[in-house]
Amino acid sequence: MEAGDRAPREAALLWGAATGGPWPDPAALDGDARHMALALAAAQAGVGLASPNPPVGCVLVAGGRVIGTGAHLMAGGPHAEVAALADAGARGEAVSGATAYVTLEPCCHQGRTPPCTAALLKAGVSRVVVGVRDPNPRVNGGGIALLRARGVQVDVGVLGGACAAFHAPFFKLVGTGLPWVAFLLDPGNRPPPVRRIGLAMRRCAEAVIIGRRTAELRDPSLRDAWPDPAPSHRQLRRVVLDAEASLDPFRQVWRHLDRQPAMRATLDAALPLAGVEDLRPGPGPNGLNLDALLRALATRGVGRVLFEGGEDLARSLMAQDLVDEFHRFRPEGPPMPLYRDPVLRWAGRARLRVAIPGGTWEVLNRRAGDP
Protein backbone atom coordinates (compact mmCIF):
# COMPACT_ATOMS: atom_id res chain seq x y z
CA MET A 1 0.00 0.00 0.00
CA GLU A 2 1.39 3.39 -0.97
CA ALA A 3 2.01 5.80 1.91
CA GLY A 4 -0.49 8.27 0.47
CA ASP A 5 -3.22 5.60 0.48
CA ARG A 6 -2.57 4.25 3.97
CA ALA A 7 -4.43 6.89 6.00
CA PRO A 8 -7.70 6.90 3.99
CA ARG A 9 -7.73 3.11 3.77
CA GLU A 10 -7.17 2.78 7.52
CA ALA A 11 -9.91 5.34 8.13
CA ALA A 12 -12.28 3.38 5.87
CA LEU A 13 -11.45 0.14 7.73
CA LEU A 14 -12.00 1.71 11.15
CA TRP A 15 -15.20 3.45 10.08
CA GLY A 16 -16.63 0.29 8.56
CA ALA A 17 -15.88 -1.68 11.71
CA ALA A 18 -17.17 1.06 14.03
CA THR A 19 -20.47 1.18 12.12
CA GLY A 20 -21.02 -2.56 12.53
CA GLY A 21 -19.03 -3.99 9.61
CA PRO A 22 -16.98 -4.97 7.78
CA TRP A 23 -19.57 -4.49 5.06
CA PRO A 24 -19.81 -6.22 1.66
CA ASP A 25 -17.34 -4.94 -0.92
CA PRO A 26 -19.22 -3.73 -4.02
CA ALA A 27 -16.21 -4.54 -6.20
CA ALA A 28 -16.49 -8.22 -5.24
CA LEU A 29 -20.18 -8.46 -6.18
CA ASP A 30 -22.38 -8.00 -9.21
CA GLY A 31 -26.01 -7.35 -10.09
CA ASP A 32 -28.45 -6.50 -7.32
CA ALA A 33 -25.95 -7.41 -4.59
CA ARG A 34 -23.38 -4.96 -5.96
CA HIS A 35 -25.85 -2.10 -6.06
CA MET A 36 -27.15 -2.83 -2.56
CA ALA A 37 -23.55 -2.87 -1.32
CA LEU A 38 -23.15 0.59 -2.86
CA ALA A 39 -26.29 1.71 -1.01
CA LEU A 40 -24.82 0.37 2.24
CA ALA A 41 -21.60 2.25 1.56
CA ALA A 42 -23.60 5.45 1.06
CA ALA A 43 -25.59 4.84 4.25
CA GLN A 44 -22.45 4.83 6.39
CA ALA A 45 -22.15 8.59 5.89
CA GLY A 46 -25.25 9.09 8.04
CA VAL A 47 -24.08 7.20 11.13
CA GLY A 48 -23.78 9.57 14.07
CA LEU A 49 -25.77 12.23 12.22
CA ALA A 50 -29.28 10.95 11.47
CA SER A 51 -30.49 9.74 14.89
CA PRO A 52 -33.10 9.13 16.03
CA ASN A 53 -33.81 8.32 12.36
CA PRO A 54 -31.98 5.46 10.63
CA PRO A 55 -29.00 6.32 8.38
CA VAL A 56 -30.47 4.86 5.19
CA GLY A 57 -28.63 4.65 1.86
CA CYS A 58 -30.14 4.64 -1.64
CA VAL A 59 -28.71 4.08 -5.13
CA LEU A 60 -30.62 4.63 -8.38
CA VAL A 61 -29.67 2.47 -11.36
CA ALA A 62 -30.71 2.65 -15.02
CA GLY A 63 -29.25 0.56 -17.82
CA GLY A 64 -26.74 -0.93 -15.39
CA ARG A 65 -25.38 2.53 -14.50
CA VAL A 66 -25.60 4.29 -11.16
CA ILE A 67 -27.44 7.54 -11.91
CA GLY A 68 -27.98 8.81 -8.35
CA THR A 69 -26.79 8.18 -4.80
CA GLY A 70 -28.15 9.48 -1.51
CA ALA A 71 -28.02 9.03 2.25
CA HIS A 72 -30.08 10.32 5.16
CA LEU A 73 -27.74 12.67 7.02
CA MET A 74 -29.99 14.59 9.40
CA ALA A 75 -33.32 14.09 11.14
CA GLY A 76 -35.71 16.45 9.42
CA GLY A 77 -33.55 16.56 6.30
CA PRO A 78 -34.06 14.70 3.00
CA HIS A 79 -34.34 10.94 3.28
CA ALA A 80 -31.98 8.78 1.24
CA GLU A 81 -34.45 8.21 -1.60
CA VAL A 82 -35.13 11.92 -2.00
CA ALA A 83 -31.41 12.71 -1.83
CA ALA A 84 -30.70 10.11 -4.54
CA LEU A 85 -33.44 11.54 -6.77
CA ALA A 86 -31.97 15.02 -6.30
CA ASP A 87 -28.51 13.69 -7.16
CA ALA A 88 -29.83 12.12 -10.35
CA GLY A 89 -31.52 15.38 -11.28
CA ALA A 90 -28.29 17.31 -10.68
CA ARG A 91 -26.53 14.90 -13.03
CA GLY A 92 -29.19 15.41 -15.70
CA GLU A 93 -30.27 11.77 -15.53
CA ALA A 94 -33.79 10.52 -16.32
CA VAL A 95 -35.19 8.51 -13.41
CA SER A 96 -38.37 7.14 -15.00
CA GLY A 97 -38.07 3.37 -15.30
CA ALA A 98 -35.02 3.19 -13.01
CA THR A 99 -34.45 0.79 -10.12
CA ALA A 100 -33.98 2.11 -6.58
CA TYR A 101 -31.82 0.12 -4.15
CA VAL A 102 -32.63 1.08 -0.56
CA THR A 103 -31.06 -0.41 2.58
CA LEU A 104 -34.32 -0.01 4.54
CA GLU A 105 -37.96 -0.15 3.44
CA PRO A 106 -39.12 3.28 2.17
CA CYS A 107 -41.35 5.14 4.60
CA CYS A 108 -45.02 5.58 3.73
CA HIS A 109 -46.11 8.11 6.36
CA GLN A 110 -45.89 11.86 6.77
CA GLY A 111 -43.29 12.77 9.36
CA ARG A 112 -41.02 15.79 9.37
CA THR A 113 -40.68 15.09 5.65
CA PRO A 114 -43.16 13.64 3.09
CA PRO A 115 -43.23 9.86 2.53
CA CYS A 116 -40.48 8.43 0.36
CA THR A 117 -42.94 6.11 -1.38
CA ALA A 118 -44.65 9.19 -2.82
CA ALA A 119 -41.34 10.57 -4.09
CA LEU A 120 -40.42 7.27 -5.77
CA LEU A 121 -43.85 6.95 -7.39
CA LYS A 122 -43.80 10.53 -8.64
CA ALA A 123 -40.34 10.00 -10.16
CA GLY A 124 -41.58 6.94 -12.09
CA VAL A 125 -39.25 4.38 -10.55
CA SER A 126 -40.32 0.98 -11.87
CA ARG A 127 -38.55 -1.30 -9.41
CA VAL A 128 -37.47 -0.97 -5.76
CA VAL A 129 -35.01 -3.37 -4.15
CA VAL A 130 -35.19 -3.30 -0.35
CA GLY A 131 -32.46 -4.61 1.90
CA VAL A 132 -34.59 -5.13 4.99
CA ARG A 133 -38.14 -4.39 6.10
CA ASP A 134 -38.65 -1.50 8.54
CA PRO A 135 -40.13 -2.72 11.88
CA ASN A 136 -41.26 0.79 12.82
CA PRO A 137 -45.05 0.41 13.42
CA ARG A 138 -45.63 3.41 11.16
CA VAL A 139 -44.08 1.46 8.27
CA ASN A 140 -43.72 -2.29 8.96
CA GLY A 141 -44.39 -3.49 5.43
CA GLY A 142 -46.71 -0.63 4.51
CA GLY A 143 -44.19 0.99 2.19
CA ILE A 144 -43.65 -2.27 0.32
CA ALA A 145 -47.39 -2.90 0.06
CA LEU A 146 -48.10 0.61 -1.21
CA LEU A 147 -45.46 0.44 -3.93
CA ARG A 148 -46.68 -2.96 -5.10
CA ALA A 149 -50.28 -1.74 -5.14
CA ARG A 150 -49.20 1.04 -7.51
CA GLY A 151 -47.56 -1.42 -9.93
CA VAL A 152 -43.94 -1.09 -8.78
CA GLN A 153 -41.93 -4.31 -8.64
CA VAL A 154 -40.52 -4.69 -5.12
CA ASP A 155 -37.89 -7.26 -4.15
CA VAL A 156 -36.92 -7.64 -0.50
CA GLY A 157 -33.90 -9.23 1.16
CA VAL A 158 -30.94 -8.46 -1.11
CA LEU A 159 -27.96 -8.41 1.28
CA GLY A 160 -30.66 -8.67 3.94
CA GLY A 161 -28.31 -9.90 6.65
CA ALA A 162 -25.87 -7.03 6.15
CA CYS A 163 -28.66 -4.45 5.98
CA ALA A 164 -30.27 -5.85 9.14
CA ALA A 165 -26.92 -5.70 10.95
CA PHE A 166 -26.34 -2.13 9.78
CA HIS A 167 -29.77 -0.99 10.93
CA ALA A 168 -29.71 -2.98 14.21
CA PRO A 169 -29.24 0.20 16.31
CA PHE A 170 -32.41 1.72 14.85
CA PHE A 171 -34.30 -1.55 15.25
CA LYS A 172 -33.31 -1.68 18.93
CA LEU A 173 -34.36 1.93 19.51
CA VAL A 174 -37.75 1.33 17.88
CA GLY A 175 -38.32 -1.99 19.64
CA THR A 176 -37.07 -1.20 23.15
CA GLY A 177 -36.71 2.57 23.53
CA LEU A 178 -33.04 2.03 24.32
CA PRO A 179 -30.08 3.25 22.27
CA TRP A 180 -27.45 0.91 20.86
CA VAL A 181 -24.60 0.52 23.35
CA ALA A 182 -20.98 -0.10 22.43
CA PHE A 183 -18.36 -0.58 25.14
CA LEU A 184 -14.71 0.20 24.49
CA LEU A 185 -12.55 -1.41 27.12
CA ASP A 186 -9.88 1.10 28.05
CA PRO A 187 -6.51 -0.68 28.39
CA GLY A 188 -4.91 2.36 30.01
CA ASN A 189 -1.92 3.31 27.91
CA ARG A 190 -3.65 2.86 24.59
CA PRO A 191 -1.45 2.34 21.51
CA PRO A 192 -2.13 4.74 18.61
CA PRO A 193 -4.27 2.29 16.57
CA VAL A 194 -6.58 1.77 19.56
CA ARG A 195 -6.85 5.54 20.07
CA ARG A 196 -7.90 5.90 16.43
CA ILE A 197 -10.45 3.12 16.86
CA GLY A 198 -11.88 5.03 19.79
CA LEU A 199 -12.16 8.20 17.73
CA ALA A 200 -14.07 6.37 15.00
CA MET A 201 -16.45 4.96 17.59
CA ARG A 202 -17.04 8.39 19.10
CA ARG A 203 -17.98 9.79 15.70
CA CYS A 204 -20.53 6.96 15.34
CA ALA A 205 -22.15 7.79 18.69
CA GLU A 206 -24.35 10.64 19.86
CA ALA A 207 -23.22 10.21 23.48
CA VAL A 208 -19.97 9.02 25.07
CA ILE A 209 -20.02 7.98 28.73
CA ILE A 210 -17.22 7.37 31.23
CA GLY A 211 -17.11 6.68 34.94
CA ARG A 212 -15.78 9.06 37.57
CA ARG A 213 -12.63 6.98 38.06
CA THR A 214 -11.75 7.15 34.36
CA ALA A 215 -12.33 10.91 34.45
CA GLU A 216 -9.92 11.22 37.39
CA LEU A 217 -7.19 8.93 36.06
CA ARG A 218 -7.15 10.00 32.42
CA ASP A 219 -8.78 13.44 32.58
CA PRO A 220 -10.10 13.15 28.99
CA SER A 221 -12.01 15.86 27.17
CA LEU A 222 -14.07 13.19 25.32
CA ARG A 223 -14.22 15.48 22.30
CA ASP A 224 -15.12 14.28 18.83
CA ALA A 225 -11.72 14.40 17.12
CA TRP A 226 -12.31 12.07 14.16
CA PRO A 227 -10.16 13.36 11.26
CA ASP A 228 -13.00 14.65 9.07
CA PRO A 229 -14.90 17.70 10.39
CA ALA A 230 -18.42 16.95 11.60
CA PRO A 231 -21.44 18.71 10.06
CA SER A 232 -22.70 21.66 12.06
CA HIS A 233 -25.83 19.86 13.26
CA ARG A 234 -23.99 16.98 14.90
CA GLN A 235 -24.04 16.75 18.70
CA LEU A 236 -21.93 14.50 20.92
CA ARG A 237 -23.05 14.47 24.52
CA ARG A 238 -20.14 13.92 26.93
CA VAL A 239 -21.41 12.18 30.08
CA VAL A 240 -19.67 11.34 33.36
CA LEU A 241 -21.16 8.79 35.77
CA ASP A 242 -20.66 10.56 39.11
CA ALA A 243 -23.26 9.25 41.56
CA GLU A 244 -21.91 11.28 44.49
CA ALA A 245 -21.10 14.37 42.40
CA SER A 246 -17.55 14.22 43.75
CA LEU A 247 -15.57 14.90 40.56
CA ASP A 248 -13.92 18.29 40.87
CA PRO A 249 -14.95 21.10 38.51
CA PHE A 250 -11.54 21.51 36.89
CA ARG A 251 -11.60 18.43 34.68
CA GLN A 252 -11.29 18.74 30.91
CA VAL A 253 -14.60 16.98 30.35
CA TRP A 254 -16.48 19.93 31.90
CA ARG A 255 -14.96 22.47 29.51
CA HIS A 256 -17.24 23.97 26.90
CA LEU A 257 -16.98 22.43 23.43
CA ASP A 258 -19.16 23.63 20.58
CA ARG A 259 -22.01 21.15 19.89
CA GLN A 260 -20.52 18.71 22.44
CA PRO A 261 -22.41 19.41 25.69
CA ALA A 262 -21.14 18.07 29.01
CA MET A 263 -23.54 16.12 31.23
CA ARG A 264 -23.25 14.60 34.72
CA ALA A 265 -25.25 11.56 35.83
CA THR A 266 -25.65 11.87 39.58
CA LEU A 267 -27.87 11.06 42.54
CA ASP A 268 -27.11 13.97 44.82
CA ALA A 269 -28.55 17.45 44.80
CA ALA A 270 -25.06 18.71 44.10
CA LEU A 271 -23.95 22.23 43.45
CA PRO A 272 -24.40 22.90 39.74
CA LEU A 273 -21.42 23.07 37.42
CA ALA A 274 -21.43 25.95 34.98
CA GLY A 275 -22.51 24.76 31.53
CA VAL A 276 -23.06 21.15 32.68
CA GLU A 277 -26.49 19.50 32.60
CA ASP A 278 -27.29 17.12 35.45
CA LEU A 279 -29.15 13.88 34.75
CA ARG A 280 -30.72 12.06 37.70
CA PRO A 281 -31.53 8.49 36.62
CA GLY A 282 -32.03 7.23 40.16
CA PRO A 283 -30.13 4.55 42.09
CA GLY A 284 -29.20 1.20 40.60
CA PRO A 285 -26.53 -1.51 40.70
CA ASN A 286 -23.14 0.00 41.51
CA GLY A 287 -24.62 3.42 42.03
CA LEU A 288 -26.78 4.55 39.13
CA ASN A 289 -29.73 3.17 37.18
CA LEU A 290 -28.00 2.87 33.81
CA ASP A 291 -31.12 1.61 32.03
CA ALA A 292 -32.95 4.79 33.08
CA LEU A 293 -29.96 6.89 32.01
CA LEU A 294 -29.96 5.33 28.56
CA ARG A 295 -33.70 5.92 28.20
CA ALA A 296 -33.25 9.55 29.19
CA LEU A 297 -30.61 9.95 26.50
CA ALA A 298 -32.89 8.27 23.95
CA THR A 299 -35.56 10.91 24.60
CA ARG A 300 -32.92 13.47 23.58
CA GLY A 301 -32.48 11.83 20.19
CA VAL A 302 -29.53 9.60 21.10
CA GLY A 303 -29.57 6.37 19.10
CA ARG A 304 -26.00 5.21 19.76
CA VAL A 305 -24.03 5.38 23.00
CA LEU A 306 -20.35 4.63 23.55
CA PHE A 307 -19.08 3.70 27.01
CA GLU A 308 -15.34 3.98 27.56
CA GLY A 309 -14.06 2.43 30.76
CA GLY A 310 -12.50 -0.41 32.67
CA GLU A 311 -13.47 -3.81 33.97
CA ASP A 312 -15.88 -2.70 36.71
CA LEU A 313 -18.03 -0.62 34.39
CA ALA A 314 -17.94 -3.35 31.73
CA ARG A 315 -19.09 -5.95 34.23
CA SER A 316 -21.89 -3.74 35.55
CA LEU A 317 -23.27 -2.99 32.09
CA MET A 318 -23.01 -6.56 30.87
CA ALA A 319 -24.55 -7.98 34.02
CA GLN A 320 -27.56 -5.74 33.31
CA ASP A 321 -27.68 -6.87 29.66
CA LEU A 322 -27.12 -3.33 28.41
CA VAL A 323 -24.21 -3.88 26.00
CA ASP A 324 -24.67 -4.66 22.32
CA GLU A 325 -21.04 -4.49 21.17
CA PHE A 326 -17.84 -4.99 23.11
CA HIS A 327 -14.58 -3.64 21.70
CA ARG A 328 -11.28 -4.61 23.28
CA PHE A 329 -7.58 -4.63 22.58
CA ARG A 330 -5.94 -7.94 23.44
CA PRO A 331 -2.21 -7.42 23.89
CA GLU A 332 0.21 -10.15 22.93
CA GLY A 333 0.87 -12.70 25.67
CA PRO A 334 -1.33 -14.64 28.13
CA PRO A 335 -5.02 -13.64 28.26
CA MET A 336 -5.92 -11.09 30.90
CA PRO A 337 -8.26 -12.29 33.70
CA LEU A 338 -11.05 -10.14 32.28
CA TYR A 339 -11.40 -12.47 29.29
CA ARG A 340 -12.15 -15.41 31.59
CA ASP A 341 -14.79 -13.53 33.59
CA PRO A 342 -18.10 -15.50 33.66
CA VAL A 343 -20.07 -12.29 33.18
CA LEU A 344 -18.27 -11.72 29.90
CA ARG A 345 -18.49 -15.29 28.66
CA TRP A 346 -21.20 -14.36 26.17
CA ALA A 347 -18.57 -12.30 24.36
CA GLY A 348 -16.64 -15.37 23.31
CA ARG A 349 -17.35 -15.02 19.59
CA ALA A 350 -15.75 -12.12 17.76
CA ARG A 351 -17.39 -10.78 14.61
CA LEU A 352 -14.14 -9.01 13.77
CA ARG A 353 -10.48 -9.48 14.67
CA VAL A 354 -7.83 -7.13 13.33
CA ALA A 355 -4.11 -7.52 14.00
CA ILE A 356 -2.56 -4.21 15.06
CA PRO A 357 0.87 -3.44 16.49
CA GLY A 358 1.22 -5.11 19.89
CA GLY A 359 -1.87 -7.29 19.75
CA THR A 360 -5.35 -7.76 18.31
CA TRP A 361 -8.42 -5.55 18.23
CA GLU A 362 -11.60 -7.58 18.72
CA VAL A 363 -15.22 -6.60 18.20
CA LEU A 364 -17.78 -8.86 19.84
CA ASN A 365 -21.47 -8.52 19.10
CA ARG A 366 -23.84 -10.29 21.41
CA ARG A 367 -26.84 -10.17 19.12
CA ALA A 368 -24.82 -11.50 16.21
CA GLY A 369 -23.15 -14.20 18.28
CA ASP A 370 -24.25 -16.04 21.38
CA PRO A 371 -27.92 -15.70 22.31
Side-chain angles (χ1 to χ4, degrees):
M1 185 187 302
E2 296 294 332
D5 295 334
R6 187 174 295 116
R9 291 197 183 185
E10 181 191 67
L13 169 66
L14 297 183
W15 186 251
T19 55
W23 305 113
D25 179 5
L29 302 168
D30 53 25
D32 286 346
R34 176 177 178 271
H35 294 130
M36 187 60 75
L38 290 171
L40 267 173
Q44 291 177 47
V47 177
L49 301 177
S51 287
N53 291 351
V56 178
C58 177
V59 167
L60 297 171
V61 177
R65 295 186 305 111
V66 173
I67 62 171
T69 301
H72 184 44
L73 304 176
M74 180 175 121
H79 286 195
E81 298 92 329
V82 173
L85 290 169
D87 183 46
R91 300 185 192 190
E93 298 282 2
V95 176
S96 181
T99 297
Y101 294 83
V102 192
T103 59
L104 185 67
E105 177 183 2
C107 65
C108 53
H109 62 279
Q110 176 72 46
R112 282 188 274 187
T113 60
C116 294
T117 48
L120 293 170
L121 289 168
K122 182 178 179 180
V125 168
S126 63
R127 180 178 178 233
V128 176
V129 180
V130 175
V132 65
R133 181 167 160 166
D134 185 350
N136 185 339
R138 301 180 75 183
V139 184
N140 198 24
I144 293 169
L146 177 60
L147 291 169
R148 285 175 173 164
R150 295 289 296 274
V152 177
Q153 178 184 344
V154 181
D155 298 302
V156 183
V158 173
L159 293 188
C163 290
F166 180 77
H167 289 298
F170 174 68
F171 295 167
K172 182 188 178 188
L173 186 63
V174 168
T176 69
L178 285 166
W180 184 263
V181 174
F183 190 96
L184 176 60
L185 183 66
D186 189 344
N189 185 22
R190 296 185 286 180
V194 177
R195 289 198 293 271
R196 291 192 288 271
I197 290 164
L199 293 180
M201 293 175 66
R202 281 187 197 172
R203 175 58 63 85
C204 287
E206 292 92 33
V208 55
I209 302 177
I210 60 172
R212 179 185 56 77
R213 181 169 173 77
T214 298
E216 288 180 334
L217 293 177
R218 285 184 39 219
D219 193 24
S221 69
L222 299 183
R223 66 189 182 95
D224 180 354
W226 182 245
D228 295 330
S232 60
H233 70 274
R234 168 166 163 75
Q235 281 202 353
L236 175 68
R237 296 155 181 86
R238 300 171 296 135
V239 186
V240 178
L241 305 175
D242 189 10
E244 298 177 356
S246 59
L247 186 65
D248 68 74
F250 307 107
R251 298 291 168 172
Q252 291 193 74
V253 71
W254 304 136
R255 295 177 183 175
H256 173 77
L257 293 176
D258 190 32
R259 302 187 307 278
Q260 299 177 55
M263 309 176 84
R264 178 175 60 175
T266 183
L267 294 175
D268 295 344
L271 290 175
L273 294 173
V276 177
E277 180 184 356
D278 278 344
L279 300 172
R280 304 190 187 281
N286 299 318
L288 293 165
N289 185 332
L290 297 178
D291 181 277
L293 173 63
L294 291 170
R295 292 183 188 278
L297 290 171
T299 65
R300 289 164 167 79
V302 172
R304 290 175 181 255
V305 171
L306 170 63
F307 281 86
E308 297 182 17
E311 298 178 21
D312 290 343
L313 182 56
R315 252 183 229 107
S316 178
L317 283 162
M318 291 180 177
Q320 297 174 65
D321 193 27
L322 294 175
V323 177
D324 299 286
E325 282 191 347
F326 184 53
H327 297 242
R328 66 191 183 192
F329 173 67
R330 298 192 68 164
E332 296 172 347
M336 293 191 295
L338 174 65
Y339 304 135
R340 297 193 295 269
D341 190 311
V343 176
L344 308 184
R345 192 167 293 160
W346 67 265
R349 295 181 188 174
R351 69 164 172 80
L352 178 66
R353 285 190 175 97
V354 179
I356 58 178
T360 304
W361 173 42
E362 293 185 334
V363 185
L364 306 112
N365 188 311
R366 183 172 193 172
R367 284 159 179 78
D370 294 335

